[in-house]
Amino acid sequence: MTTPLKPLGQPVSRVDGRAKVTGEARYSGEFQVPGLVYGQVVSSTIARGRIKSIDASEALRLPGVLQVFTHENRPRQAWFDRKYRDDDAPSGSPFRPLHDEKIVYSGQPVALVVAETFELARYAATLVSVEYDSHSHQTDLRSQREKAYAPDQGKGGFEPPPKPRGHADKALKKAAVRIDAEYETPVEHHNPMEPHASTVIYESNGSLTVYDKTQGVQNTQTYVSNVFDLPKERVHVRSPFVGGAFGSGLRPQYQLFLAVMAALELKRSVRVTLSREQMFTFGHRPTTLQRVALGAAADGALEAIIHEAVSETSRFEDYIEVVVNWAGMLYRCNNVRFDYKLAQLDCYTPVDMRAPGAAVGVYALECAMDELAHQLGMDPVALRLKNYTDRDQNKDKPFSSKELRACYEQGAERFGWARRSAAPRSMRDGHHLVGWGMATGIWEAMQQPASAKAVLGIDGKLTVSSATSDIGTGTYTVMTQIAADTLGLRIQDVTFQLGDSSLPMSPVEGGSWTVASVGTAVKEVCEKIRDQLFKFAKKMKGSPLGKASLEEVTFADGKIRLTEEPSQAVSLVEAMRHGGVLSLEEKVLATPSAKQQAYSRSTHSAVFAEVKVDEELGTVRVSRVVSAIAGGRVLNPKTARSQIIGGVVWGIGMALEEETVIDQKLGRFINHNLGEYHIPVHADVKGIDVIFVEEEDTIVNPLGAKGLGEIGIVGVAAAISNAVFHATGRRVRSLPITLDKLL
Ligand code: MOS
């Protein structure tokens, strides 16, 4: 294999790909030790009330069943004495498994059966009988709408919706053209391939090695240490591979608590794996009711924007996400008002899910923009261009970069948008109505403090490490590329380590910030090594680099070369030898630069979708999607494209299929399996075309890469909804757009 001179920007295949496809990569529920025992969770069948009694005697009689933990016999944890909030916890008091007899949501863990084998634990769990006192519950957001309140956003660490600007309500009344509509989005559940699992190894000295499905090993470590009052040195968390997470792994989930509790009590290694059904019991994308009102002049200029949302939360935490602020960043308008409220339901606290807030908020906004364009008799792209802004009016700051205009242009070009006939129901393909719709997407481009360590050996091999994770995004690969690129090494001479709590500090992998945060640390730590090497190389007797400055040399092929005269070179190994070292080691903490503060920093996209609707059956097919992304510098076009494709597929699901249905009488999610919770299958996904437009950004972070994990889903459901309207002339303002709503 010939390695390109500069690995960054190349479509490098996943460095962990082989391990994954051969089964060599092990996930949290797969680590095996002698004497491992298995915990099976018993879940509540009521939504609210109390446990009257639990009878575990039948389960305990089975040989091989070691213990049944309930609120009656659970050990006393540090957890129960103080309030501890994990990294991604909303404000409030976190749910405490097996705390007492109270039931606060359907599916709540009420017992953990521990047995010698998985099968036995699972069987024994069916023998545990629980009697409840059922109380009335509220699980319908509509019925609780009047009780909605404005949460304290500061407490959740969120910027509250910006203050109103101008007089939105007045301006709306006076506007030549008005849209005032309500949109509804359902509960959705994550369902990564790998269910949540924790394998807790009880070491002979009483320390724990925890294999946890998580997006942040150090978050898990801190949680276990705090909740069980263990010094951090005694809690080692590993998570080398994660089979998808999308936000569900940002917070430690209850299987972790239960597995650790059982391991400490029984002094044995314990594994707790959640079933697919139980994957529907620990958080979800919250259902929302949104009003979007837009007023415009006859030429399309926005004169008023009102975006109001009511979203669900639990009784014990205020789950906040940014639903309503986006319009104030995307479009120029001087009369805007935003309102975001929560209503409590007897459900578990929602949890972040790919582009939390934006996925639903931008859906409503971009559908409303389409409705406005239709009313104005204006092209949907032209309406967006008419209201284009280079300044984020919410923050009153310019964007660090914003090539959204190029997204509209290149996306429209690739899609063939110019051939669209404006009137609904005006395009056909046999007995199918054809619809073309588009939408804008936006997500924040964030950077968090992160550390990395690099060790270069005298064999010319480099190891770089940080306690981040790779939830399938390609972190192993991209970090390897950054390191190889900075030091001019071949990909195969670089190893990147992650997913271990003992590695240098890293934030959870979320918010699309890993490349910006950990990637910057990797770049900076390799630059420190590079500087050392260069110093050694210059000092060598008769060094060809003696008079050169760092700017005049190139690191490539394991050598430092004079850029102008590449035959003049010193190898990295030679430099080390002359420096008298057998290895070089550096560590850095990379933090966001102060200059970022003067700018608003976002990724943008333009999404174009074509649908074909069977006129008689009402079935909708997404026949093609073009997604044009402005996400800064693309470090690996292959993994980047995969991220966007994944987001678009999810957007297809969001538009047409995904919905967790709640039986209001039982207060319980009923389609809690992949047979009845519909997601796109292969046949639902046709052509997806991804464009990355050129975008240079020297402010957002030293790599100029903005992060692509979440932008791919934003706007997709709106583009498809708008295409369905264009095909059929029918506006469905509630997701998913299923047959019954369309017919
Ligand atoms: Mo993401 S919802 O930040 O994993």
Side-chain angles (χ1 to χ4, degrees), residues 40-43 54 68-71 98 108-113 128 130 258:
Q40 176 73 19
V41 179
V42 180
S43 312
I54 297 192
V68 178
F69 292 98
T70 69
H71 67 281
L98 309 190
Q108 172 180 329
V110 294
L112 181 77
V113 179
V128 176
V130 187
L258 295 171

Side-chain angles (χ1 to χ4, degrees), residues 88 190 215 245-250 319 351-356 443 471 508-513 710:
D88 197 53
H190 294 78
Q215 290 172 246
F246 314 110
S248 63
L250 289 172
Y319 174 78
V351 67
D352 288 338
M353 180 157 156
R354 206 170 200 171
W443 184 249
I471 58 174
V508 290
E509 173 157 81
S512 301
W513 61 47
E710 289 167 295

Side-chain angles (χ1 to χ4, degrees), residues 181-464:
E182 182 167 304
Y183 302 86
E184 186 176 2
T185 62
V187 169
E188 293 172 8
H189 276 85
H190 294 78
N191 282 298
M193 286 290 284
E194 180 202 16
H196 278 264
S198 303
T199 302
V200 179
I201 314 293
Y202 190 85
E203 309 285 359
S204 53
N205 62 358
S207 293
L208 302 179
T209 300
V210 181
Y211 293 93
D212 186 33
K213 188 217 170 99
T214 176
Q215 290 172 246
V217 279
Q218 289 173 334
N219 193 26
T220 293
Q221 181 194 33
T222 309
Y223 171 93
V224 171
S225 157
N226 273 293
V227 170
F228 294 92
D229 201 15
L230 293 167
K232 276 199 179 174
E233 314 81 73
R234 289 183 52 201
V235 183
H236 183 196
V237 180
R238 296 198 59 210
S239 186
F241 294 97
V242 178
F246 314 110
S248 63
L250 289 172
R251 295 189 76 173
Q253 300 293 6
Y254 65 74
Q255 92 287 340
L256 171 70
F257 175 94
L258 295 171
V260 171
M261 177 197 75
L264 290 172
E265 274 306 290
L266 301 171
K267 300 193 170 16
R268 297 199 56 170
S269 299
V270 179
R271 163 141 74 237
V272 179
T273 307
L274 298 187
S275 65
R276 186 54 67 182
E277 181 172 338
Q278 286 167 336
M279 290 295 289
F280 288 78
T281 63
F282 56 72
H284 49 268
R285 197 194 287 288
T287 179
T288 66
L289 299 168
Q290 303 180 52
R291 175 193 175 210
V292 183
L294 304 174
D299 66 354
L302 281 167
E303 290 181 338
I305 301 176
I306 297 170
H307 195 165
E308 301 172 325
V310 179
S311 187
E312 64 163 308
T313 195
S314 65
R315 299 281 181 203
F316 44 94
E317 286 171 320
D318 277 351
Y319 174 78
I320 295 164
E321 53 185 22
V322 177
V323 177
V324 297
N325 304 7
W326 305 100
M329 303 166 70
L330 262 180
Y331 301 117
R332 189 180 53 240
C333 183
N334 295 325
N335 300 294
V336 297
R337 184 168 65 73
F338 302 106
D339 189 61
Y340 176 70
K341 288 199 171 74
L342 293 179
Q344 293 184 349
L345 300 181
D346 295 303
C347 291
Y348 191 74
T349 313
V351 67
D352 288 338
M353 180 157 156
R354 206 170 200 171
V360 292
V362 174
Y363 151 72
L365 169 67
E366 286 299 291
C367 286
M369 284 295 280
D370 194 72
E371 299 203 30
L372 183 66
H374 180 68
Q375 195 139 320
L376 283 159
M378 205 169 166
D379 178 83
V381 177
L383 176 65
R384 276 131 178 124
L385 289 171
K386 175 82 191 168
N387 293 288
Y388 200 88
T389 178
D390 287 311
R391 209 172 168 78
D392 171 354
Q393 284 183 294
N394 284 354
K395 299 193 179 88
D396 194 23
K397 289 174 184 175
F399 287 100
S400 60
S401 62
K402 180 180 175 181
E403 296 296 339
L404 176 57
R405 213 182 279 278
C407 294
Y408 291 133
E409 280 160 13
Q410 292 176 33
E413 169 72 31
R414 181 79 58 91
F415 189 83
W417 185 256
R419 295 194 306 275
R420 179 179 185 262
S421 75
R425 301 185 75 91
S426 63
M427 291 169 71
R428 284 189 160 270
D429 175 7
H431 64 287
H432 285 109
L433 297 166
V434 175
W436 287 6
M438 61 80 57
T440 316
I442 181 168
W443 184 249
E444 280 182 278
M446 296 175 270
Q447 184 188 352
Q448 306 284 346
S451 300
K453 188 173 110 175
V455 182
L456 179 64
I458 195 72
D459 55 357
K461 307 269 186 202
L462 176 74
T463 303
V464 186

